[in-house]
Amino acid sequence: MNGPRRLNLPLPATVRADERGRPLAVDGRAVDAVRESWLVEDRWWTDAPLRRRYWEVVTTRGDLVVLFRELDRVGGWYRQR
C-alpha cells in the first residue's frame, strides 16, 4: 500500500507574461480573462520566507487555472490546478 499523497501539488507551467508579470498564455493556451491576482507573504520570520504572486485565469478553452510565481527566488511559473 502506498503512503498518503499530497493533493494539489504545484506543477511546472510554461507561461508567457507581459512586462508587469500578467499571464498572457499558459502551456500554449491564450488567457481570455484574469479573474483574480493576490500576493502571499508567509514565513517571513524564518530562514525560508515565502513570497508568491498568484493569478487565477481563464483560458480561451474555458479552463480555470491558478498559477503562481516565486518572487524572492529564481524560479519559473507553477500551476496549482
Side-chain angles (χ1 to χ4, degrees):
M1 183 171 166
N2 294 332
R5 184 173 66 99
R6 290 181 62 190
L7 298 176
N8 213 12
L9 285 175
L11 300 171
T14 302
V15 175
R16 184 171 51 88
D18 68 13
E19 64 279 351
R20 296 179 321 220
R22 183 182 185 274
L24 302 173
V26 179
D27 295 330
R29 291 170 286 166
V31 169
D32 188 42
V34 172
R35 291 187 51 178
E36 189 175 4
S37 175
W38 65 96
L39 179 65
V40 172
E41 295 180 295
D42 196 10
R43 299 189 308 223
W44 48 268
W45 61 91
T46 71
D47 290 336
L50 178 89
R51 191 164 180 258
R52 295 176 175 169
R53 167 65 63 187
Y54 281 82
W55 298 86
E56 184 178 68
V57 301
V58 179
T59 68
T60 53
R61 288 190 349 189
D63 300 321
L64 179 63
V65 182
V66 175
L67 306 164
F68 71 85
R69 186 171 184 194
E70 298 282 356
L71 298 177
D72 285 342
R73 296 176 239 185
V74 176
W77 287 83
Y78 297 88
R79 63 184 292 152
Q80 200 70 40
R81 64 173 172 181

